[in-house]
Amino acid sequence: MVGFVSSFVGGGSGSVDKRRRVRCSRSKGNWVAKTTLYSSGRAPSFSETVGAETPVYDVEGKKLALADVVSGRGKTTVVSWLRHYGCSLCRKQVADLSRLKEAGLDEMKDVDLIAIGSGTAEQGADFLKEVEFPGEIYSDPQRKTYQALNFTKGVLSTFNLGGLQKLSESFVGGNKQRFEILPTDPFQQGGCLVISPSNDVVLLHRDDFAGDHVEESKLLEVLRSV
């Protein structure tokens, strides 16, 4: 069920520019914002949003606080959460980001890319080799960061008309499904955050269903404004 609100909906910190309209969906019985655009001076920090100690693992299996991974770069960072490493839609997700980065667009020149998958560090390392992603891969097998951001999860968010349409488009684009890679939760959806050089959250997007990634035009628009 989808609606539109003109103010912040959900449990995160900070407030939202009320001139922005954000699409919302129901998750676990509560309304949460699907796409939230934060105005200057009202944006929460990344560590406030995801938690200061919420862990992820790098491709070598080292445990790190995601807030430490992102903070202190002094650059705009796009952090994308994948469903799982065997997912065709997730291959398309990182391929689309790679295409934008490698196209030399002004919006992407000084942007760091990070992808987080709900699998093991070993799966993340194999995924990075396979997709040749021009960024960093981290893993969250217990999905702590997904929970912190209240990302959508459920059978109906995975098996639906919208998801099937996105999957068909992904297959046509040559993004294969790796059925032998077992996900920690096949019904977990992902999302995306855009982080400013000062570590503030500029955009928070939660996928409503499998493949419901942030629109490319919206992402570029946000990056131009940072």
Side-chain angles (χ1 to χ4, degrees):
M1 187 174 183
V2 173
F4 287 89
V5 297
S6 57
S7 59
F8 181 70
V9 180
S13 57
S15 57
V16 171
D17 186 342
K18 295 185 178 181
R19 294 170 296 178
R20 306 287 188 122
R21 291 173 66 82
V22 292
R23 189 176 177 211
C24 298
S25 61
R26 187 176 291 276
S27 174
K28 299 180 182 179
N30 298 312
W31 285 102
V32 294
K34 172 181 172 176
T35 303
T36 306
L37 299 171
Y38 290 93
S39 62
S40 178
R42 298 184 177 183
S45 70
F46 180 74
S47 61
E48 289 173 334
T49 304
V50 77
E53 302 296 330
T54 309
V56 292
Y57 297 84
D58 67 14
V59 293
E60 296 179 350
K62 183 179 180 180
K63 185 178 181 180
L64 304 163
L66 182 57
D68 292 340
V69 170
V70 173
S71 300
R73 292 172 178 257
K75 300 174 67 176
T76 301
T77 307
V78 176
V79 187
S80 297
W81 277 261
L82 316 177
R83 293 185 59 244
H84 60 81
Y85 291 123
C87 175
S88 168
L89 294 165
C90 299
R91 281 171 167 71
K92 183 179 187 303
Q93 186 176 359
V94 297
D96 287 345
L97 288 171
S98 299
R99 173 175 49 79
L100 292 177
K101 183 70 171 177
E102 293 167 358
L105 298 176
D106 289 341
E107 297 91 336
M108 299 292 290
K109 282 183 179 178
D110 296 317
V111 173
D112 281 352
L113 300 178
I114 294 175
I116 299 172
S118 64
T120 66
E122 183 180 3
Q123 289 174 341
D126 291 341
F127 183 83
L128 181 59
K129 293 176 184 177
E130 184 176 349
V131 299
E132 299 181 351
F133 179 57
E136 304 163 32
I137 293 281
Y138 297 91
S139 297
D140 183 5
Q142 296 179 315
R143 303 177 308 285
K144 295 294 186 181
T145 58
Y146 294 76
Q147 294 163 16
L149 293 165
N150 202 15
F151 283 150
T152 302
K153 173 183 172 181
V155 174
L156 294 181
S157 69
T158 304
F159 300 107
N160 54 70
L161 184 59
L164 289 174
Q165 181 177 353
K166 293 289 187 181
L167 185 60
S168 176
E169 294 171 357
S170 183
F171 282 157
V172 170
N175 301 290
K176 61 184 178 180
Q177 184 84 11
R178 295 283 302 278
F179 293 101
E180 73 277 15
I181 299 177
L182 301 178
T184 55
D185 187 338
F187 307 125
Q188 178 68 63
Q189 309 308 325
C192 177
L193 282 177
V194 175
I195 314 301
S196 74
S198 57
N199 296 320
D200 291 331
V201 175
V202 180
L203 171 118
L204 166 57
H205 172 85
R206 298 179 176 94
D207 296 348
D208 266 351
F209 55 85
D212 183 35
H213 307 145
V214 63
E215 294 180 5
E216 188 174 296
S217 59
K218 176 58 68 178
L219 177 61
L220 292 176
E221 176 188 344
V222 169
L223 292 174
R224 281 193 294 269
S225 69
V226 177

